[in-house]
Amino acid sequence: MEVMEMSDNELKEQLIREYVNIQRLKNSKDRDRELAYQEKVLKVKLQTLGIPTEDLEP
């Protein structure tokens, strides 16, 4: 398995995106809907990287 390293800027961008997502969830009038949306987006990103998401479900 190839390990890819993130640059400092890529890491900063990722952390900013995570922070923004948490703020969106905290301020959402429909938290369940926002959470479902964020979960869908994250699953697509993981699958695009070849990471199976089936085993992540509780």
Side-chain angles (χ1 to χ4, degrees):
M1 174 188 244
E2 181 180 335
V3 176
M4 300 183 71
E5 294 185 28
M6 295 178 84
S7 72
D8 285 346
N9 283 339
E10 289 171 324
L11 181 56
K12 289 175 186 177
E13 289 175 18
Q14 178 61 33
L15 293 173
I16 290 168
R17 280 193 296 270
E18 288 182 37
Y19 181 81
V20 168
N21 284 340
I22 288 172
Q23 293 303 310
R24 285 181 57 182
L25 187 55
K26 282 176 57 177
N27 295 308
S28 176
K29 293 181 182 181
D30 188 346
R31 289 182 180 177
D32 290 338
R33 184 175 177 183
E34 179 64 29
L35 183 59
Y37 170 76
Q38 288 187 31
E39 182 179 35
K40 285 180 188 179
V41 171
L42 184 54
K43 279 184 175 182
V44 169
K45 289 178 181 180
L46 290 169
Q47 292 169 351
T48 300
L49 294 172
I51 301 170
T53 58
E54 299 81 26
D55 295 338
L56 300 177
E57 296 294 324

